[in-house]
Amino acid sequence: MLMGNLDPMSNEVRTRREFLEFIGRGTLVVSSLPLLNACETVSKAVTPEPFKALSPTKSDSLSLVNGLKYDIIARWGDPLRADLKFGTNNDYLVFFSANEQGTDGILWVNHEYLAPALVSGRVKGKAPTKAQAIEEMKTVGGSLIRIRKSPEGQWSLVQGDKYNRRLDAFTEIPFAGGVAVEGKTTAMGTMGNCAGGFTPWGTVLTAEENFQLFYGRSVFEDGKKKHIGSQYGWEKHFDNPPEHYGWIVEVDPMTGSAKKHTSIGRYAQECATILPLEDGRVVAYSGDDAENECLYKFIADKPGSLDTGTLYVADIGAGKWISLKYEDQPILQKHFKNQVEVLVRCREAAKLVGGTPLDRPEDIEIDPVTGAVLVTVTNNKPKGNFYGSILKIEEKGGKGDSLEFKASTFISGGPDTGFACPDNMAFDRAGNLWLTCDISEEALGKGPYSSFVSNGLFYIPMSGPHSGKVFQVASGPVDSELSGPFFSPDGETLFLSVQHPGENSKSRNELTSNWPEGNGAIPRSSVVAITGPLLKNLQSGTKVDPIFDVPLLKL
Ligand code: FEO
Ligand code: CA
Ligand code: CA
Ligand code: CA
């Protein structure tokens, strides 16, 4: 277990046992092990690389390695049904297949935030008119879209389908279990929908991350609550409390009905990754993506539900999950009125009980071979961590409901490994890791990021001679990041979000990107389906079962 700061370069000299563990799937240390480098050199001499990795490009395109192609499934503004339109800044994706072949189904898409200059045309920093706020509020939240693969292998959106739905900043969403937050049992809208998860009972979990953008946030000074205004200024027209956002929201893909879970706490919720327990209950892992914030896990107390259970925060140094249950913690009783207040002010509660501040925990995936919980820790610039890493949590005895774990650095970003600021992950059907990165647009190609000129998608083999090596697969258009990678059941399609191309455009007349249409068009975030022989080849070896399958829908 690592003590204190998770410095990726502070790995001590490994023993032979640990080295052998790496060969199997242990801790990856790419740059500091002569023994490992020697091994890689030998491997390279006898085994050709799986493909020629892409060199990142500044071009205003979605560039892919040879052997892959993409179809655009949906772009911001595309008509879905009646007057519903596909939202902007698409992020997390989960595909619910409606047939065994995986060629027809419903795709859930998060719409995280927006660029007001592109959406409503207002100047940065200027408060919105009510009409502008309404226009913006309709572009966030999430979409449910019916998609199909043609016999020729092309994916497309089924326009007009009755399952096409939108959740946006106007959707009325109740709190699970009738919990009242700020005196209300229902919230208006869901926003900041970043990454997410899905459950064994066939629902989507969408994570409300940067909730402060929309209605601001509350701070406490001398015990008095004070409101800090939002970036978008919607509170000028709609008086919604910030406490109604920052939750995990569960959505039924068949009906679009939703509920907000207070049980998993309120913070910049990045994701909710589910690990089923043997008795039908589940564990949900989630991170608070802000500098020096924490990693959490929730253990449900009933099968098939996230409504009630216990939330824990990680003490990384001690390797312990610490309870945030009001009854268990006198210090919480001293500072808060009740459990609901602990959950609403989760960040403060987590620090009081000894949660470890981390370098922006982002997405979480569970290794389907080892059961290790991988957490991208994207960066912490004020602390000098520019490249981030992937943290590995190994639960004691491999049990999801264990309250003890071992933490280590799985792989570190940087010019040597070829990626920086890891964000979203997905495992393919051969158990290999796919990773997207999120270097902020203004930092790309500059200073510590001089070798990183665009955001990309990466493939990391988890076994074989190239195990642990990072291969770039895709490079995104100008000002974009690639996010939300999600595999179809057969592994032959990788759904991917191309998020916020042209985000730094000053106005609709001064655009930094015209992707995907080109020719001076306004840039539009889009969901693409990546297919091709390379994707098949990379998964042609031993099949690895996922932690659990996405349940089949009956449409
Ligand atoms: Fe929306 Fe933490 O990324
Ligand atoms: Ca993210
Ligand atoms: Ca991010
Ligand atoms: Ca991101």
Side-chain angles (χ1 to χ4, degrees):
M1 124 194 11
L2 289 182
M3 300 302 289
N5 186 11
L6 286 167
D7 178 0
M9 305 310 286
S10 70
N11 294 286
E12 71 285 8
V13 176
R14 303 281 152 173
T15 62
R16 176 166 171 77
R17 189 192 64 75
E18 283 171 312
F19 172 67
L20 291 173
E21 202 178 90
F22 157 74
I23 299 296
R25 192 169 279 197
T27 299
L28 276 177
V29 183
V30 173
S31 54
S32 59
L33 282 179
L35 185 56
L36 178 58
N37 290 339
C39 172
E40 281 195 327
T41 307
V42 171
S43 307
K44 268 186 246 164
V46 294
T47 315
E49 296 194 335
F51 56 88
K52 189 174 180 304
L54 195 80
S55 298
T57 148
K58 282 186 185 174
S59 79
D60 191 26
S61 61
L62 174 60
S63 310
L64 301 175
V65 289
N66 285 337
L68 296 180
K69 67 170 185 75
Y70 72 91
D71 304 319
I72 292 183
I73 297 178
R75 301 164 301 184
W76 162 44
D78 279 352
L80 300 181
R81 176 167 62 87
D83 60 348
L84 296 182
K85 291 198 168 89
F86 193 68
T88 190
N89 286 32
N90 41 266
D91 200 323
Y92 178 72
L93 307 168
V94 50
F95 177 61
F96 293 90
S97 185
N99 63 19
E100 292 288 347
Q101 306 77 37
T103 56
D104 181 13
I106 294 175
L107 187 74
W108 166 268
V109 184
N110 274 2
H111 300 294
E112 188 180 12
Y113 64 104
L114 69 141
L118 298 178
V119 170
S120 63
R122 70 173 152 120
V123 178
K124 199 177 176 185
K126 202 171 170 205
T129 62
K130 189 164 185 182
Q132 285 172 327
I134 290 170
E135 195 172 2
E136 294 172 10
M137 290 164 76
K138 286 184 178 169
T139 65
V140 296
S143 291
L144 288 160
I145 55 173
R146 182 82 179 264
I147 59 169
R148 277 200 198 112
K149 191 183 186 184
S150 71
E152 295 74 39
Q154 185 162 350
W155 284 95
S156 58
L157 163 70
V158 184
Q159 281 188 359
D161 192 272
K162 67 174 182 177
Y163 291 105
N164 291 346
R165 297 176 204 275
R166 287 279 289 115
L167 279 80
D168 63 23
F170 291 102
T171 310
E172 291 288 320
I173 305 178
F175 290 103
V179 173
V181 178
E182 294 295 303
K184 288 188 179 168
T185 54
T186 296
M188 181 178 129
T190 180
M191 291 90 66
N193 309 72
C194 183
F198 58 93
T199 65
W201 52 92
T203 54
V204 180
L205 302 172
T206 175
E208 298 181 335
E209 189 194 26
N210 287 308
F211 60 86
Q212 75 285 353
L213 293 173
F214 310 91
Y215 292 103
R217 63 194 167 93
S218 302
V219 293
F220 289 82
E221 283 173 9
D222 300 325
K224 278 213 170 119
K225 191 156 89 170
K226 198 176 139 197
H227 181 254
I228 307 281
S230 74
Q231 186 176 316
Y232 293 142
W234 294 354
E235 65 266 37
K236 191 168 167 237
H237 306 289
F238 298 92
D239 189 19
N240 288 318
E243 289 78 7
H244 280 191
Y245 313 97
W247 304 106
I248 295 295
V249 184
E250 184 171 4
V251 183
D252 180 343
M254 296 284 283
T255 64
S257 71
K259 55 183 173 180
K260 295 200 181 200
H261 286 292
T262 53
S263 56
I264 307 174
R266 176 174 168 271
Y267 38 92
Q269 285 276 8
E270 174 71 25
C271 66
T273 302
I274 297 293
L275 178 64
L277 299 174
E278 280 175 8
D279 59 8
R281 292 178 304 135
V282 297
V283 170
Y285 293 93
S286 66
D288 182 355
D289 181 8
E291 283 158 4
N292 310 315
E293 293 301 341
C294 301
L295 176 70
Y296 297 84
K297 102 168 170 187
F298 168 78
I299 306 179
D301 61 11
K302 291 195 188 85
S305 168
L306 292 165
D307 289 6
T308 53
T310 304
L311 186 65
Y312 299 84
V313 64
D315 177 341
I316 301 286
K320 288 206 161 76
W321 292 106
I322 312 169
S323 168
L324 286 161
K325 200 170 183 177
Y326 192 72
E327 291 151 34
D328 295 348
Q329 299 283 15
I331 195 163
L332 298 181
Q333 294 163 19
K334 197 173 145 206
H335 284 82
F336 303 105
K337 288 196 293 284
N338 52 37
Q339 184 71 62
V340 173
E341 196 183 18
V342 167
L343 295 165
V344 167
R345 296 171 65 184
C346 200
R347 277 182 178 168
E348 296 162 76
K351 300 288 168 51
L352 285 170
V353 300
T356 304
L358 293 169
D359 293 351
R360 296 188 49 203
E362 292 242 29
D363 198 12
I364 301 172
E365 287 291 332
I366 299 167
D367 184 325
V369 172
T370 65
V373 180
L374 301 185
V375 184
T376 50
V377 184
T378 196
N379 63 57
N380 193 333
K381 294 177 193 173
K383 280 168 69 181
N385 177 0
F386 294 102
Y387 303 124
S389 59
I390 301 179
L391 168 67
K392 182 163 90 168
I393 301 284
E394 293 167 279
E395 299 280 20
K396 191 174 179 183
K399 292 187 186 313
D401 55 352
S402 168
L403 298 183
E404 290 175 52
F405 61 86
K406 195 175 103 178
S408 56
T409 298
F410 179 66
I411 188 169
S412 298
D416 291 349
T417 35
F419 73 90
C421 309
D423 194 338
N424 296 152
M425 297 178 284
F427 280 96
D428 67 18
R429 297 299 170 261
N432 296 310
L433 186 63
W434 295 68
L435 174 72
T436 61
C437 290
D438 183 7
I439 303 166
S440 67
E441 289 72 48
E442 46 293 349
L444 280 168
K446 294 180 198 141
Y449 303 104
S450 55
S451 61
F452 301 97
V453 297
S454 62
N455 278 309
L457 167 73
F458 302 85
Y459 165 75
I460 307 177
M462 297 291 276
S463 59
H466 300 291
S467 183
K469 226 180 137 188
V470 180
F471 296 87
Q472 184 155 2
V473 175
S475 169
V478 173
D479 287 353
S480 74
E481 69 172 288
L482 306 177
S483 62
F486 196 89
F487 284 93
S488 62
D490 60 6
E492 292 187 13
T493 300
L494 175 59
F495 299 107
L496 187 71
S497 276
V498 180
Q499 196 192 26
H500 58 73
E503 179 167 61
N504 284 342
S505 299
K506 284 207 182 77
S507 72
R508 290 166 176 167
N509 300 318
E510 294 172 272
L511 301 171
T512 57
S513 165
N514 309 112
W515 192 86
E517 283 100 341
N519 296 324
I522 199 160
R524 297 205 265 171
S525 292
S526 305
V527 175
V528 302
I530 294 175
T531 53
L534 181 65
L535 209 49
K536 265 190 183 177
N537 292 346
L538 291 175
Q539 299 170 84
S540 60
T542 314
K543 287 276 179 284
V544 168
D545 287 334
I547 294 293
F548 64 94
D549 288 309
V550 185
L552 215 58
L553 290 185
K554 286 199 187 77
L555 298 185

